[in-house]
Amino acid sequence: MGSIRLVRHAQASFGADDYDVLSLRGHKQAEILRKHWATPSLPRSLWAATGTLRRQMNTARTALHSLNVVEDERWNEFDEASLLSWLPPKRHDLSTQQFQVRLNLALSEWIAKGADSHGESFIGFQDRVLAGFEDATTQAGSGSVATIFSSAGPIALVASHLLSGDASLFLRLNDVLINASITTVIVGRTGPRLLTFNDHGHLPKSHVTFR
């Protein structure tokens, strides 16, 4: 039996001109991940992948600095900027809670449109993420660990399909994912199964963030 660790990227720069940069706290979260995985009792990752967004790649480089990491755009987040194009370009005037409410409204509309959407549709997003996950299961052979650095959206989508067989839990799970959290999937003869979701016990309370 193998396993896949799905890691949400560390905290990015919410409210800044360039969101796709780790914050100071985000860098610390990634370092905490590296130290956590250095514990002798924890299994070592033999294969790792990351999306191509900077916040994902930089989290991976810090947390697994000694391991070659494959870049795979299928693990990128949905196009948040496109979905929220009706919002002001900067987020300085929005609290994280206000932003999440607006994002959820946009996501609900996006999901309802199915394949009929400008840019990447929800169906397209779902297909690429699940294809990436299927490929990852082949890397999680008996006794091995694969680690993937992604974002809340792809991780929530995978977890929803593992729990319910569809995307019906996507919005609820996407809402609660914590930066630098670990979701673990075990892969055996009966296929992949969700073992843990959104585990953040390695993070001190002062470094638990949702955005």
Side-chain angles (χ1 to χ4, degrees), residues 53-86:
L53 302 176
R54 280 180 292 165
R55 59 188 182 273
Q56 299 168 340
M57 293 190 292
N58 289 337
T59 302
R61 287 168 183 155
T62 299
L64 293 177
H65 63 93
S66 62
L67 184 68
N68 185 41
V69 181
V70 176
E71 294 179 14
D72 186 346
E73 63 183 6
R74 292 178 298 182
W75 290 104
N76 286 356
E77 183 64 287
F78 48 76
D79 189 351
E80 187 179 278
S82 176
L83 292 177
L84 295 171
S85 58
W86 49 279

Side-chain angles (χ1 to χ4, degrees), residues 1-7 37 41-49 64 67 75 132-149 158 162 182-189 191-197 199:
M1 182 177 293
S3 63
I4 301 171
R5 299 187 296 208
L6 299 172
V7 183
W37 284 332
S41 60
L42 292 178
R44 295 291 184 267
S45 184
L46 300 180
W47 179 85
L64 293 177
L67 184 68
W75 290 104
F133 179 68
E134 183 176 358
D135 285 352
T137 61
T138 66
Q139 301 292 335
S142 179
S144 67
V145 178
T147 302
I148 298 170
F149 294 83
V158 169
L162 291 174
I182 305 168
T183 293
T184 302
V185 178
I186 54 175
V187 183
R189 293 180 181 178
R193 291 177 292 166
L194 190 65
L195 181 65
T196 67
F197 174 74
D199 178 18

Side-chain angles (χ1 to χ4, degrees), residues 114-127:
D116 184 19
S117 178
H118 293 295
E120 183 180 42
S121 67
F122 181 73
I123 299 300
F125 167 71
Q126 181 173 240
D127 288 347

Side-chain angles (χ1 to χ4, degrees), residues 88 90-95 98 102:
K90 294 184 180 181
R91 308 167 183 175
H92 302 296
D93 58 335
L94 295 175
S95 68
Q98 290 171 327
R102 297 195 188 191

